Amino acid sequence: MVRKAWKSFGGMLAVGLLSAALVAQTPAAARYDNQIQSTVAHKLAAKSRFQNVKSSVEDGIVTLTGTVDLYQRKLDAAKLARKTASVQGVRNLITVAGPSVPDAQLEQKLARKLTHVRVGYDNTFDYFALGVKDGLVTVAGQDRTGVGRDEALADIANMPGVKDVVGDITVAPVSSFDDGIRLRTARAIYRDPVLSRYAIDPARPIRIIVANGHVTLYGAVDNAMDKQVAGIRAGSVFGAFSVENKLVVEKDSGQSGM
């Protein structure tokens, strides 16, 4: 009986100590969250563009609410909170409440903007496809280095009317083999007298995407013959395992791709 009593007393003592520890931790955790909240609130208040943004903190997680006028500012607010000491994560519930732009108009503006991404550098080897629905922009495609992807996403985030962004732009794997195919395909296409005019406008090239030896052509051409010739030229390139010709004839193009 004595042994059982001691066991029972020991169990109650352990439970009591655990409860006391939890109670003791609660004020400390609250002070910890209060410190984060004070710092984040001060940072937000110091930026006029975040004047309508509010924050709250629980267990080191910052929740942001309120409104901003550009999608980029929603991202900036989350970055500001995330860089605060001791923050464990950020829940970004900010609403983009800037001007509403009709989807078709917004898509046209973004398409024009993205045609100039990396112009003069390696934009021939990048491809972006856009879609817009109720201000939600979806952008997919492939970028050779990652620089074009970052530039494209920044252009989208700073466009008035964009409410949210879903990005699915992949970066091509580093491969000297693929780089060789890219260059040979570009020479084969742009040195053809029928296709050379597509090199004149740097914002309107035939896009050459290469992944593991497989070539895909994107973009818009003036007529069906140009599409056929481009496919033939790409198919003659040494080292290319396959060629998928996704060029569209300009008058039949209904998708924003650049």
Side-chain angles (χ1 to χ4, degrees):
M1 291 294 293
V2 173
R3 181 176 298 177
K4 289 183 178 179
W6 274 108
K7 284 184 177 180
S8 177
F9 175 75
M12 289 188 292
L13 180 62
V15 171
L17 290 174
L18 178 60
S19 299
L22 291 174
V23 171
Q25 287 175 358
T26 302
R31 289 195 298 271
Y32 182 76
D33 285 348
N34 288 339
Q35 181 181 357
I36 295 174
Q37 166 63 18
S38 177
T39 304
V40 172
H42 178 74
K43 286 184 174 182
L44 291 171
K47 306 286 186 180
S48 60
R49 61 183 178 273
F50 300 138
Q51 60 182 339
N52 296 321
V53 176
K54 305 298 181 184
S55 63
S56 60
V57 185
E58 184 176 357
D59 297 331
I61 305 297
V62 179
T63 299
L64 299 175
T65 57
T67 61
V68 291
D69 58 354
L70 280 176
Y71 181 74
Q72 181 61 56
R73 292 178 179 174
K74 176 178 179 176
L75 300 180
D76 291 342
K79 182 178 180 181
L80 178 149
R82 195 174 294 110
K83 293 177 69 174
T84 301
S86 302
V87 168
Q88 302 301 308
V90 175
R91 186 181 296 111
N92 194 345
L93 303 180
I94 296 172
T95 299
V96 181
S100 294
V101 180
D103 288 343
Q105 181 181 341
L106 180 58
E107 186 169 335
Q108 289 176 356
K109 287 183 176 180
L110 288 171
R112 286 195 297 269
K113 189 74 173 177
L114 294 195
T115 56
H116 292 87
V117 169
R118 302 293 292 165
V119 164
Y121 294 91
D122 54 1
N123 67 316
T124 299
F125 306 121
D126 298 340
Y127 175 73
F128 308 116
L130 280 170
V132 180
K133 177 65 175 177
D134 298 328
L136 168 64
V137 178
T138 56
V139 56
Q142 187 186 87
D143 177 38
R144 191 177 68 84
T145 63
V147 177
R149 174 200 59 190
D150 295 344
E151 186 177 329
L153 291 175
D155 284 344
I156 294 170
N158 283 287
M159 179 69 71
V162 173
K163 304 301 183 183
D164 204 352
V165 179
V166 176
D168 187 24
I169 302 172
T170 61
V171 176
V174 177
S175 169
S176 57
F177 176 70
D178 283 353
D179 284 340
I181 295 174
R182 288 185 183 97
L183 292 175
R184 291 193 294 274
T185 304
R187 294 191 188 108
I189 288 175
Y190 290 116
R191 289 179 179 176
D192 186 286
V194 173
L195 304 174
S196 60
R197 68 183 182 280
Y198 293 103
I200 296 175
D201 183 355
R204 190 175 175 263
I206 293 174
R207 308 279 177 163
I208 301 165
I209 304 302
V210 182
N212 301 317
H214 300 279
V215 179
T216 306
L217 303 181
Y218 290 101
V221 290
D222 294 333
N223 52 64
M225 185 184 77
D226 289 355
K227 175 179 178 177
Q228 182 179 5
V229 171
I232 293 171
R233 293 290 175 258
S236 67
V237 171
F238 173 77
F241 297 148
S242 68
V243 175
E244 187 173 4
N245 191 345
K246 291 190 175 182
L247 291 170
V248 295
V249 177
E250 188 69 42
K251 64 179 180 180
D252 297 330
S253 178
Q255 180 183 17
S256 294
M258 56 298 299

